[in-house]
Amino acid sequence: MSPQLCPAPLRPLLAGLLLLCVPAVRTGKCPQQCVCDQIQLTVACVNKNLTHVPPTVDEITVKLDLRGNDIQELPTGAFRHTPYLTHLSLQRCNIRTVKEGAFRSLGRLVFLNLAHNNIEILYQESFDGLSSLKQLMIDRNRVEEIQPGAFSQLGFLNLLSLTHNQLVYIPNMAFQGLQNIKWLRLSHNSLNYLDTEAFAGLFTLTRLSLDHNELQFFPTETMTRLPEVTRLDLSYNPMTYLGEEAVSMAKLTHLFLDHMSLQDLANTAVSKSPSLTHLDLSHNQLRVVQPFSAGSPKLARLSLGGNPIYCNCYLRPLREWAIRSKVKLMGACGGPAHFSGESLDAIHPQDLRCQSQEAMLKAEFEEAIRITPPPTEKPENKVKCPANCACEAETHHSSCENRGHTKVPRGFSAATRLLDLRGNHFHYLPANSFPGVAQVVSLHLQRCRIAEVEGGAFNGMKGLVYLYLSENDLTSLSPDAFKGLPQLTYLHLEKNRFTSFPKGAFKLLPGLLALHLENNAIAKLEPASLSGAEGLRGLYLTGNAIDHVSPRALERAGDLDTLHLGGNKLKAVPAEALSEAGNLGELRLSGNPIRWVGPNAFRPLAGTLKELYLDNMGLEKMSRDSLAGLGPGLRSLFLEGNQLEEVPDLHPLSTLEVINLADNPLLCDCPLLPLRMWIEKVNLKVRATCAHPPELKGRRVKDVHVFKACPGGESLPSSPAVAPKLSKAPKSTKPKPAHLNGPRQVKMVRTKSKPRKSPNPKPAAAKKTTERRRTA
C-alpha cells in the first residue's frame, strides 16, 4: 500500500513499522578514558591512571594499548572480554603480579609487551592460553626467578626478551616448551651460572644474547645443547681465559667476546666450531694471540681492536696465518713505539721482529708466569647419593659421568631432576633400571655402549622429558622399550647402529615431539614409519644411508614441522611422501645426490614451507616450475654448491628473506634473464656470480650488462660496474665439479673489490663465446 492510498490515521503506524525493519548501525563500546578506532579496531588508554583493565572495551578489539597506567596486578581472566586481541601493550603499568590464567582467553594474541614493570617471578601458569604468541617482551622488570614450565604453553614464540632484569642463575629446562624460538635475549642481567640443561630443548634457537652479565667462564657444556645457534653474544662478561675447545657449536657463525677481561686464549678455543666466520675479541687485554688451529677453516674476520697487541716476532705466526687463511685482522698495534697505532692487517710479517734476545726472554717470561684463574669451587651438599657419583641438593643434579659403572647405580635422591650417567659401560638396560627417580626430567646415557634396552627399562620415570641415548650400539628397539614414559618429549638416538627405522618403538610415547636419528645407517623409510608417533614435530635423519622413501612413510604425520634428510643417498625429491606432511615448515635435502628436480616437486608443501635446503647436492638442472606453489610463504632458499647454469622461476617467491646461489656455474646469457630481472625487484643480497662466458667469470649477475641485449632486457638499469679486462682464453672453460672444490662458507660480510678499468665487451661477442662453448 502506497502512502498516498493509506488513510491518514494509519500513516504513523505504518512509519513505525518501517522503522522496525531498518537494521541498526552497530556502535562499539569505548571506555570513557580511552580513544577508540572502530575501523582499525584499536583501543588506546595511555597514561590514564587506570588501576585495572577496563571491562568495557569492545569485544572485537584487536589492538589494546594500556601503557603508563597503575595496574599492579593482572587477575585471572583479566582479558576474558577481548578474545580477539592480537597486540597488547602493558609497559610502565607498575605490574607486580601476573596471576595464573591472566591471559587465558587470548588465544589469538601474537605480541605482548610487559616491559618496564615490577614483575619478580614468572610462575608456571603465568602465560597459559597464549598459544599463538610470537613475541614476548619482559625487559626492565625485576625478574629473579623463572619457575619450571613458565613458557610451556608458548609453542609458537619466536622472540623472548628478558633484558635488564635480576636473573642470577638459569635452571635446567627453564625455557621448556619454546619449540619455535629463534632469538632469546638475556642481556643486562646478573647471570653467573647456567645449568648444563638451561637451554635444553631449544632446537630452533638461532640467536642467543648473553651480553652484560657476570659469567666468568665460557659455559661449554650448556652451549653444546644449542645445535642451531649461529650468533652468540657474550660481550661484557668478566671472562679472563678461553680454554681448549671451549666453544663447541657446530653451526655458530658469529661469536662476540668483546669488552671482557680476556688475557689469554688457547689456539684450539674455537676448533670445535667449524662454521665460525666472525670472531670479535676486541677491547680485551690480549697482548699475544696464537694462530688458530685448523678446526675453524671458514674464519674470515678476527676483531682485535682495543687490545694491547704487541707487534713483534710473537705476532708474526698470527699474521702469516691470517694471510695464508685469508682472515681479515681488525685492530691496531699497541706497541712497540714504531708500530703503535699501525693496522694489524697492513704490517708485513717480515717486519715483525723482536728487538733483542733480552726482549724475547722477557716476553717468554711474561707468558710463563701468566696465571689461569682456577675454577670456582662449588660447595658440597650432603644428599643421598650412590658410591662413585656426585650429587647436589641445591640443583637436584646427580652425576656418575665417566666412572666406569657396569650397572646403573641405585640410591639416588627422589628429588633428582637431572641424572647424568654418560660414559659408563652398561651394555644393556634391564627392566626397572631406574627405581625411585620419578622426578627426573633429563636422563643422559650417551656413550654407555648400550646395545639393548629391555622392555620397561624406564618404568616409573613419569616426569622424564629428555632422554639421551646417543653414541651407543643400538641396532633395534623393542615395542616396550619406552614403556612408562608418558611425558617424554625429546628423544635422542643419533650415532647408534640402526640400519632400519625403529618403527613401532614409539607407540607408548604420546607426547613425543622431536626424534633424533642422525648419523646411523638407516637405508630406507618404509610405510607407516611414524606409527605411534603421529604428533611428532621434528624428525632428524641427517647422515644416514637413505636411498628410498616410501610414499606412505610419513602418513598421518600431519603435525610434522621439521624434516632433515640431508647427507643421505636420495636421487630424487620424495614428493609423494611429502604430500602426507601437509604442515611441513622446514625441509633439508642438502648433500643428497639429486641431479634433477622436476616440476611441482614441492607443491604438496604449498602454503606451509618456510625453509628449503637444496645445497651441495651436485644439482644440475631444475625445472622452471620446480618451485611452483611455494609462493609467498617461503622465507629461505639455499641452492649453493651445485652445478646449476640456470635457475627456476623465482618470481612467485615474493617474501624471501634469504637466498643463496653461490658456487654454481651460472651461464650469464639470455636464459638467465628472468633471474636478473627478479634480482632487480627484490630487496635482497643475492649471492649469484657468473661462471660463463669466460670473460664474465667471477662477476656478480647483478653487475653484468649482457642481459640488456636480450629480448625483454632493455628496461634493466645500466650497470655501474665495469667489465674486467679480457685476457687469453683459458684452455678449458668447463668449471671444476663441485665435489673437487672444498666446502666453502657463505660470508656474511663481503669486502668489495674494485673492478679493473677496461672497456666493456660487446654483447655480441659474449654471445659468440657462449655459442662456441655450447658446441665444443
Side-chain angles (χ1 to χ4, degrees):
M1 181 184 295
S2 69
Q4 290 80 5
L5 297 176
C6 182
L10 293 178
R11 287 179 185 174
L13 177 61
L14 180 60
L17 290 172
L18 290 172
L19 284 173
L20 289 175
C21 296
V22 177
V25 178
R26 187 182 186 281
T27 56
K29 296 181 292 184
C30 184
Q32 185 177 359
Q33 308 95 321
C34 306
V35 177
C36 305
D37 186 333
Q38 297 297 328
I39 297 175
Q40 300 292 331
L41 302 180
T42 63
V43 175
C45 315
V46 181
N47 299 321
K48 299 298 182 181
N49 294 318
L50 298 175
T51 58
H52 60 274
V53 178
T56 56
V57 175
D58 199 328
E59 181 186 34
I60 64 171
T61 301
V62 295
K63 292 186 179 181
L64 178 58
D65 190 345
L66 295 173
R67 288 174 294 163
N69 287 290
D70 192 25
I71 307 170
Q72 298 190 21
E73 179 180 285
L74 291 177
T76 302
F79 301 93
R80 64 182 179 275
H81 301 300
T82 51
Y84 298 101
L85 284 183
T86 60
H87 291 70
L88 177 57
S89 299
L90 289 163
Q91 303 100 297
R92 298 183 178 87
C93 284
N94 294 323
I95 298 171
R96 295 181 180 274
T97 308
V98 179
K99 289 287 188 179
E100 175 185 340
F103 304 107
R104 193 164 285 156
S105 60
L106 300 181
R108 293 175 172 83
L109 200 71
V110 296
F111 175 84
L112 173 58
N113 198 332
L114 287 164
H116 293 272
N117 282 293
N118 299 311
I119 300 170
E120 295 180 354
I121 300 175
L122 300 180
Y123 294 99
Q124 187 170 358
E125 305 291 339
S126 292
F127 304 107
D128 187 22
L130 298 176
S131 55
S132 299
L133 197 66
K134 292 188 175 181
Q135 294 187 17
L136 175 57
M137 314 292 186
I138 319 177
D139 308 289
R140 298 185 182 276
N141 276 266
R142 299 179 181 178
V143 177
E144 58 185 30
E145 180 182 348
I146 301 174
Q147 291 193 349
F151 307 111
S152 60
Q153 304 294 319
L154 307 183
F156 283 94
L157 198 70
N158 296 145
L159 169 64
L160 173 59
S161 190
L162 278 161
T163 66
H164 296 87
N165 278 283
Q166 298 176 15
L167 292 168
V168 175
Y169 159 71
I170 301 293
N172 286 326
M173 272 70 73
F175 303 100
Q176 178 185 343
L178 300 181
Q179 300 158 16
N180 285 285
I181 190 74
K182 298 294 184 185
W183 188 3
L184 176 58
R185 295 165 52 180
L186 295 167
S187 312
H188 293 274
N189 278 277
S190 300
L191 292 170
N192 59 55
Y193 183 69
L194 308 175
D195 258 334
T196 304
E197 300 287 335
F199 301 122
L202 303 185
F203 298 117
T204 60
L205 190 71
T206 58
R207 188 169 180 178
L208 177 59
S209 301
L210 284 165
D211 54 286
H212 295 84
N213 277 287
E214 300 296 331
L215 296 170
Q216 297 182 34
F217 304 101
F218 190 90
T220 303
E221 284 295 309
T222 305
M223 292 303 160
T224 57
R225 270 64 171 177
L226 295 171
E228 298 295 323
V229 165
T230 59
R231 296 178 72 95
L232 175 60
D233 190 348
L234 282 162
S235 311
Y236 293 92
N237 277 277
M239 296 185 196
T240 57
Y241 177 66
L242 200 64
E244 296 181 359
E245 299 181 355
V247 188
S248 180
M249 304 176 74
K251 294 191 176 181
L252 189 68
T253 60
H254 289 65
L255 176 59
F256 300 92
L257 300 172
D258 54 287
H259 293 88
M260 302 205 302
S261 302
L262 287 176
Q263 299 173 13
D264 194 11
L265 71 158
N267 72 324
T268 59
V270 295
S271 62
K272 293 292 185 179
S273 298
S275 302
L276 193 65
T277 60
H278 288 63
L279 176 58
D280 191 344
L281 294 169
S282 60
H283 300 282
N284 280 287
Q285 299 172 21
L286 298 168
R287 290 178 60 83
V288 178
V289 179
Q290 297 298 324
F292 287 95
S293 67
S296 295
K298 298 173 183 177
L299 195 63
R301 188 184 184 97
L302 177 59
S303 297
L304 293 168
N307 283 281
I309 300 292
Y310 206 75
C311 293
N312 60 4
C313 60
Y314 284 96
L315 183 69
R316 183 185 296 179
L318 180 73
R319 186 71 186 97
E320 291 174 341
W321 165 81
I323 294 171
R324 186 170 61 252
S325 303
K326 297 181 180 178
V327 177
K328 178 75 172 176
L329 289 182
M330 309 297 294
C333 297
H338 63 284
F339 274 143
S340 184
E342 190 78 23
S343 172
L344 297 178
D345 219 34
I347 296 179
H348 297 290
Q350 58 268 29
D351 294 333
L352 293 168
R353 297 185 295 270
C354 286
Q355 297 291 316
S356 63
Q357 184 71 14
E358 181 183 353
M360 192 180 301
L361 290 172
K362 182 180 178 182
E364 289 176 357
F365 177 73
E366 289 176 354
E367 285 295 300
I369 64 171
R370 180 173 290 146
I371 300 173
T372 301
T376 305
E377 294 186 8
K378 298 178 184 177
E380 294 186 6
N381 296 303
K382 292 182 179 180
V383 64
K384 186 179 178 184
C385 195
N388 200 21
C389 294
C391 307
E392 298 178 2
E394 184 179 352
T395 60
H396 305 295
H397 292 182
S398 296
S399 176
C400 314
E401 182 181 357
N402 297 319
R403 301 296 176 92
H405 291 283
T406 57
K407 293 182 179 179
V408 176
R410 302 199 173 192
F412 294 102
S413 166
T416 302
R417 297 295 183 89
L418 183 143
L419 183 54
D420 191 346
L421 300 172
R422 284 176 288 183
N424 288 289
H425 308 151
F426 298 143
H427 297 288
Y428 90 105
L429 297 178
N432 302 306
S433 288
F434 303 92
V437 286
Q439 294 188 46
V440 167
V441 176
S442 182
L443 175 60
H444 291 261
L445 291 165
Q446 301 99 308
R447 303 188 305 279
C448 285
R449 305 182 185 180
I450 299 170
E452 181 184 353
V453 177
E454 193 173 301
F458 305 101
N459 266 339
M461 303 191 79
K462 297 179 180 179
L464 195 65
V465 175
Y466 303 88
L467 175 56
Y468 297 87
L469 282 164
S470 320
E471 300 179 73
N472 281 293
D473 298 323
L474 293 168
T475 57
S476 62
L477 289 168
S478 78
D480 297 325
F482 303 116
K483 181 180 178 182
L485 298 176
Q487 301 297 323
L488 193 68
T489 306
Y490 305 99
L491 177 58
H492 289 258
L493 294 166
E494 60 266 33
K495 294 186 179 179
N496 275 277
R497 299 185 180 182
F498 292 103
T499 55
S500 60
F501 193 92
K503 77 174 181 179
F506 314 111
K507 65 181 182 180
L508 300 177
L509 300 177
L512 190 64
L513 293 181
L515 175 59
H516 289 263
L517 278 160
E518 300 99 318
N519 299 298
N520 279 280
I522 298 170
K524 60 183 65 178
L525 295 183
E526 299 176 342
S529 288
L530 298 182
S531 176
E534 285 83 2
L536 204 65
R537 297 282 187 86
L539 178 59
Y540 304 89
L541 290 163
T542 302
N544 279 278
I546 299 170
D547 59 11
H548 175 69
V549 179
S550 164
R552 295 176 49 219
L554 303 176
E555 63 183 356
R556 299 178 66 186
D559 291 333
L560 196 65
D561 174 77
T562 302
L563 177 60
H564 288 193
L565 286 167
N568 281 283
K569 297 182 179 180
L570 294 172
K571 294 183 178 179
V573 176
E576 287 188 76
L578 295 175
S579 65
E580 299 287 340
N583 285 310
L584 204 63
E586 178 182 331
L587 175 62
R588 297 194 181 212
L589 293 168
S590 315
N592 281 282
I594 298 174
R595 301 290 182 259
W596 152 255
V597 178
N600 302 303
F602 305 101
R603 189 171 285 278
L605 307 179
T608 65
L609 196 65
K610 293 180 177 61
E611 297 184 36
L612 178 58
Y613 292 78
L614 300 173
D615 53 291
N616 298 293
M617 302 196 306
L619 189 59
E620 297 171 356
K621 182 74 175 176
M622 294 182 73
S623 164
R624 176 176 172 78
D625 299 321
S626 57
L627 302 177
L630 295 184
L634 198 67
R635 296 288 184 268
S636 303
L637 177 60
F638 298 89
L639 284 165
E640 70 269 23
N642 285 300
Q643 292 296 305
L644 294 171
E645 291 190 346
E646 301 173 14
V647 297
D649 183 15
L650 301 178
H651 282 79
L653 310 182
S654 56
T655 57
L656 269 184
E657 296 171 359
V658 178
I659 183 169
N660 197 336
L661 293 166
D663 302 324
N664 278 285
L666 297 177
L667 173 59
C668 286
D669 207 340
C670 293
L672 206 67
L673 177 62
L675 172 65
R676 176 65 186 86
M677 301 284 283
W678 179 79
I679 291 175
E680 197 62 37
K681 292 180 180 179
V682 296
N683 186 25
L684 281 176
K685 286 186 177 180
V686 182
R687 296 195 72 241
T689 56
C690 306
H692 309 291
E695 63 268 20
L696 297 179
K697 185 175 182 180
R699 297 280 303 284
R700 295 193 309 171
V701 171
K702 186 176 182 179
D703 292 342
V704 298
H705 73 290
V706 69
F707 300 105
K708 288 182 68 66
C710 299
E714 302 86 358
S715 61
L716 288 171
S718 299
S719 173
V722 184
K725 187 182 292 184
L726 294 177
S727 57
K728 287 186 179 180
K731 291 182 181 179
S732 172
T733 59
K734 189 174 181 180
K736 192 185 292 184
H739 67 274
L740 296 181
N741 293 313
R744 295 171 61 185
Q745 174 65 19
V746 179
K747 296 183 180 179
M748 304 299 290
V749 178
R750 288 196 304 253
T751 54
K752 295 182 180 179
S753 57
K754 294 182 179 179
R756 289 176 290 178
K757 294 182 179 179
S758 62
N760 288 332
K762 296 180 181 179
K767 270 191 170 183
K768 287 179 182 178
T769 306
T770 305
E771 292 303 322
R772 284 200 300 272
R773 191 190 68 78
R774 284 177 173 169
T775 56

